[in-house]
PDB file of all heavy atoms in Angstrom:
ATOM      1  N   TYR A 133      -7.067  74.406  58.093  1.00  0.00           N
ATOM      2  CA  TYR A 133      -6.202  75.257  57.381  1.00  0.00           C
ATOM      3  C   TYR A 133      -6.952  76.406  56.657  1.00  0.00           C
ATOM      4  O   TYR A 133      -6.487  77.456  56.468  1.00  0.00           O
ATOM      5  CB  TYR A 133      -5.326  74.485  56.420  1.00  0.00           C
ATOM      6  CG  TYR A 133      -5.985  73.588  55.446  1.00  0.00           C
ATOM      7  CD1 TYR A 133      -6.453  74.032  54.216  1.00  0.00           C
ATOM      8  CD2 TYR A 133      -6.164  72.250  55.756  1.00  0.00           C
ATOM      9  CE1 TYR A 133      -7.019  73.219  53.296  1.00  0.00           C
ATOM     10  CE2 TYR A 133      -6.784  71.398  54.849  1.00  0.00           C
ATOM     11  CZ  TYR A 133      -7.225  71.923  53.653  1.00  0.00           C
ATOM     12  OH  TYR A 133      -7.786  71.076  52.742  1.00  0.00           O
ATOM     13  N   GLY A 134      -8.196  76.102  56.197  1.00  0.00           N
ATOM     14  CA  GLY A 134      -9.054  77.157  55.578  1.00  0.00           C
ATOM     15  C   GLY A 134      -8.198  78.070  54.691  1.00  0.00           C
ATOM     16  O   GLY A 134      -7.677  77.691  53.693  1.00  0.00           O
ATOM     17  N   ASP A 135      -8.204  79.386  55.085  1.00  0.00           N
ATOM     18  CA  ASP A 135      -7.533  80.423  54.326  1.00  0.00           C
ATOM     19  C   ASP A 135      -6.079  80.580  54.768  1.00  0.00           C
ATOM     20  O   ASP A 135      -5.391  81.432  54.154  1.00  0.00           O
ATOM     21  CB  ASP A 135      -8.279  81.733  54.509  1.00  0.00           C
ATOM     22  CG  ASP A 135      -9.662  81.685  53.923  1.00  0.00           C
ATOM     23  OD1 ASP A 135      -9.849  80.960  52.907  1.00  0.00           O
ATOM     24  OD2 ASP A 135     -10.556  82.343  54.428  1.00  0.00           O
ATOM     25  N   GLU A 136      -5.591  79.813  55.709  1.00  0.00           N
ATOM     26  CA  GLU A 136      -4.238  79.929  56.167  1.00  0.00           C
ATOM     27  C   GLU A 136      -3.304  79.351  55.153  1.00  0.00           C
ATOM     28  O   GLU A 136      -3.574  78.453  54.414  1.00  0.00           O
ATOM     29  CB  GLU A 136      -4.032  79.166  57.461  1.00  0.00           C
ATOM     30  CG  GLU A 136      -4.781  79.663  58.688  1.00  0.00           C
ATOM     31  CD  GLU A 136      -4.530  78.745  59.843  1.00  0.00           C
ATOM     32  OE1 GLU A 136      -3.365  78.343  60.051  1.00  0.00           O
ATOM     33  OE2 GLU A 136      -5.454  78.473  60.550  1.00  0.00           O
ATOM     34  N   GLN A 137      -2.030  79.835  55.188  1.00  0.00           N
ATOM     35  CA  GLN A 137      -1.016  79.240  54.367  1.00  0.00           C
ATOM     36  C   GLN A 137      -0.271  78.234  55.259  1.00  0.00           C
ATOM     37  O   GLN A 137       0.162  78.591  56.365  1.00  0.00           O
ATOM     38  CB  GLN A 137      -0.045  80.270  53.820  1.00  0.00           C
ATOM     39  CG  GLN A 137       0.965  79.648  52.876  1.00  0.00           C
ATOM     40  CD  GLN A 137       1.704  80.688  52.111  1.00  0.00           C
ATOM     41  OE1 GLN A 137       2.212  81.642  52.659  1.00  0.00           O
ATOM     42  NE2 GLN A 137       1.915  80.470  50.818  1.00  0.00           N
ATOM     43  N   LEU A 138      -0.116  77.032  54.792  1.00  0.00           N
ATOM     44  CA  LEU A 138       0.554  75.962  55.545  1.00  0.00           C
ATOM     45  C   LEU A 138       2.028  75.960  55.251  1.00  0.00           C
ATOM     46  O   LEU A 138       2.451  76.236  54.124  1.00  0.00           O
ATOM     47  CB  LEU A 138      -0.035  74.619  55.213  1.00  0.00           C
ATOM     48  CG  LEU A 138      -1.432  74.392  55.578  1.00  0.00           C
ATOM     49  CD1 LEU A 138      -1.901  72.974  55.139  1.00  0.00           C
ATOM     50  CD2 LEU A 138      -1.692  74.569  57.039  1.00  0.00           C
ATOM     51  N   SER A 139       2.771  75.605  56.234  1.00  0.00           N
ATOM     52  CA  SER A 139       4.204  75.452  56.040  1.00  0.00           C
ATOM     53  C   SER A 139       4.526  73.938  56.119  1.00  0.00           C
ATOM     54  O   SER A 139       4.292  73.272  57.102  1.00  0.00           O
ATOM     55  CB  SER A 139       4.974  76.206  57.150  1.00  0.00           C
ATOM     56  OG  SER A 139       6.386  76.002  57.027  1.00  0.00           O
ATOM     57  N   VAL A 140       5.086  73.407  55.007  1.00  0.00           N
ATOM     58  CA  VAL A 140       5.372  71.995  54.891  1.00  0.00           C
ATOM     59  C   VAL A 140       6.889  71.813  54.735  1.00  0.00           C
ATOM     60  O   VAL A 140       7.512  72.551  53.948  1.00  0.00           O
ATOM     61  CB  VAL A 140       4.636  71.380  53.645  1.00  0.00           C
ATOM     62  CG1 VAL A 140       5.010  69.929  53.485  1.00  0.00           C
ATOM     63  CG2 VAL A 140       3.144  71.537  53.794  1.00  0.00           C
ATOM     64  N   LEU A 141       7.397  70.852  55.451  1.00  0.00           N
ATOM     65  CA  LEU A 141       8.863  70.491  55.323  1.00  0.00           C
ATOM     66  C   LEU A 141       8.898  69.129  54.630  1.00  0.00           C
ATOM     67  O   LEU A 141       8.259  68.179  55.023  1.00  0.00           O
ATOM     68  CB  LEU A 141       9.505  70.338  56.698  1.00  0.00           C
ATOM     69  CG  LEU A 141      11.002  69.890  56.674  1.00  0.00           C
ATOM     70  CD1 LEU A 141      11.856  70.789  55.895  1.00  0.00           C
ATOM     71  CD2 LEU A 141      11.444  69.631  58.101  1.00  0.00           C
ATOM     72  N   HIS A 142       9.640  69.084  53.476  1.00  0.00           N
ATOM     73  CA  HIS A 142       9.855  67.849  52.751  1.00  0.00           C
ATOM     74  C   HIS A 142      11.280  67.383  52.952  1.00  0.00           C
ATOM     75  O   HIS A 142      12.216  68.159  52.641  1.00  0.00           O
ATOM     76  CB  HIS A 142       9.523  68.036  51.277  1.00  0.00           C
ATOM     77  CG  HIS A 142       9.722  66.783  50.462  1.00  0.00           C
ATOM     78  ND1 HIS A 142      10.286  66.783  49.258  1.00  0.00           N
ATOM     79  CD2 HIS A 142       9.357  65.480  50.756  1.00  0.00           C
ATOM     80  CE1 HIS A 142      10.347  65.561  48.764  1.00  0.00           C
ATOM     81  NE2 HIS A 142       9.762  64.804  49.647  1.00  0.00           N
ATOM     82  N   VAL A 143      11.486  66.150  53.415  1.00  0.00           N
ATOM     83  CA  VAL A 143      12.814  65.642  53.713  1.00  0.00           C
ATOM     84  C   VAL A 143      13.007  64.452  52.815  1.00  0.00           C
ATOM     85  O   VAL A 143      12.393  63.406  52.904  1.00  0.00           O
ATOM     86  CB  VAL A 143      12.951  65.182  55.174  1.00  0.00           C
ATOM     87  CG1 VAL A 143      14.336  64.777  55.500  1.00  0.00           C
ATOM     88  CG2 VAL A 143      12.464  66.315  56.087  1.00  0.00           C
ATOM     89  N   ASP A 144      13.980  64.585  51.885  1.00  0.00           N
ATOM     90  CA  ASP A 144      14.359  63.472  50.992  1.00  0.00           C
ATOM     91  C   ASP A 144      15.735  63.775  50.436  1.00  0.00           C
ATOM     92  O   ASP A 144      16.064  64.921  50.103  1.00  0.00           O
ATOM     93  CB  ASP A 144      13.318  63.475  49.790  1.00  0.00           C
ATOM     94  CG  ASP A 144      13.383  62.177  48.980  1.00  0.00           C
ATOM     95  OD1 ASP A 144      14.497  61.832  48.567  1.00  0.00           O
ATOM     96  OD2 ASP A 144      12.324  61.550  48.838  1.00  0.00           O
ATOM     97  N   ASP A 145      16.567  62.755  50.318  1.00  0.00           N
ATOM     98  CA  ASP A 145      17.959  62.942  49.847  1.00  0.00           C
ATOM     99  C   ASP A 145      18.012  63.134  48.390  1.00  0.00           C
ATOM    100  O   ASP A 145      19.071  63.496  47.838  1.00  0.00           O
ATOM    101  CB  ASP A 145      18.887  61.801  50.307  1.00  0.00           C
ATOM    102  CG  ASP A 145      18.378  60.451  49.812  1.00  0.00           C
ATOM    103  OD1 ASP A 145      17.178  60.201  49.809  1.00  0.00           O
ATOM    104  OD2 ASP A 145      19.262  59.639  49.463  1.00  0.00           O
ATOM    105  N   ASP A 146      16.915  63.001  47.603  1.00  0.00           N
ATOM    106  CA  ASP A 146      16.862  63.258  46.167  1.00  0.00           C
ATOM    107  C   ASP A 146      16.511  64.675  45.934  1.00  0.00           C
ATOM    108  O   ASP A 146      15.303  65.037  46.020  1.00  0.00           O
ATOM    109  CB  ASP A 146      15.883  62.233  45.579  1.00  0.00           C
ATOM    110  CG  ASP A 146      15.794  62.318  44.038  1.00  0.00           C
ATOM    111  OD1 ASP A 146      16.164  63.367  43.490  1.00  0.00           O
ATOM    112  OD2 ASP A 146      15.339  61.364  43.444  1.00  0.00           O
ATOM    113  N   ARG A 147      17.469  65.489  45.559  1.00  0.00           N
ATOM    114  CA  ARG A 147      17.196  66.937  45.343  1.00  0.00           C
ATOM    115  C   ARG A 147      16.178  67.148  44.230  1.00  0.00           C
ATOM    116  O   ARG A 147      15.401  68.049  44.326  1.00  0.00           O
ATOM    117  CB  ARG A 147      18.520  67.665  44.991  1.00  0.00           C
ATOM    118  CG  ARG A 147      19.437  67.781  46.223  1.00  0.00           C
ATOM    119  CD  ARG A 147      20.658  68.634  45.852  1.00  0.00           C
ATOM    120  NE  ARG A 147      21.684  68.529  46.905  1.00  0.00           N
ATOM    121  CZ  ARG A 147      21.661  69.235  48.035  1.00  0.00           C
ATOM    122  NH1 ARG A 147      20.650  70.051  48.219  1.00  0.00           N
ATOM    123  NH2 ARG A 147      22.597  69.091  48.911  1.00  0.00           N
ATOM    124  N   ASP A 148      16.278  66.336  43.186  1.00  0.00           N
ATOM    125  CA  ASP A 148      15.357  66.508  42.063  1.00  0.00           C
ATOM    126  C   ASP A 148      13.916  66.247  42.471  1.00  0.00           C
ATOM    127  O   ASP A 148      13.003  67.042  42.112  1.00  0.00           O
ATOM    128  CB  ASP A 148      15.729  65.588  40.881  1.00  0.00           C
ATOM    129  CG  ASP A 148      17.012  66.003  40.245  1.00  0.00           C
ATOM    130  OD1 ASP A 148      17.407  67.173  40.353  1.00  0.00           O
ATOM    131  OD2 ASP A 148      17.678  65.125  39.620  1.00  0.00           O
ATOM    132  N   LEU A 149      13.677  65.244  43.266  1.00  0.00           N
ATOM    133  CA  LEU A 149      12.370  64.962  43.738  1.00  0.00           C
ATOM    134  C   LEU A 149      11.874  66.046  44.685  1.00  0.00           C
ATOM    135  O   LEU A 149      10.725  66.461  44.644  1.00  0.00           O
ATOM    136  CB  LEU A 149      12.307  63.592  44.492  1.00  0.00           C
ATOM    137  CG  LEU A 149      10.926  63.230  44.986  1.00  0.00           C
ATOM    138  CD1 LEU A 149       9.938  63.008  43.851  1.00  0.00           C
ATOM    139  CD2 LEU A 149      10.965  62.027  45.908  1.00  0.00           C
ATOM    140  N   CYS A 150      12.769  66.561  45.520  1.00  0.00           N
ATOM    141  CA  CYS A 150      12.425  67.725  46.381  1.00  0.00           C
ATOM    142  C   CYS A 150      11.874  68.845  45.604  1.00  0.00           C
ATOM    143  O   CYS A 150      10.910  69.477  45.908  1.00  0.00           O
ATOM    144  CB  CYS A 150      13.597  68.148  47.256  1.00  0.00           C
ATOM    145  SG  CYS A 150      14.016  67.056  48.590  1.00  0.00           S
TER     146      CYS A 150
END
Side-chain angles (χ1 to χ4, degrees):
Y133 57 86
D135 295 329
E136 295 177 41
Q137 186 170 43
L138 296 179
S139 179
V140 176
L141 174 62
H142 180 223
V143 186
D144 195 307
D145 59 322
D146 183 339
R147 289 184 191 280
D148 292 336
L149 181 65
C150 285

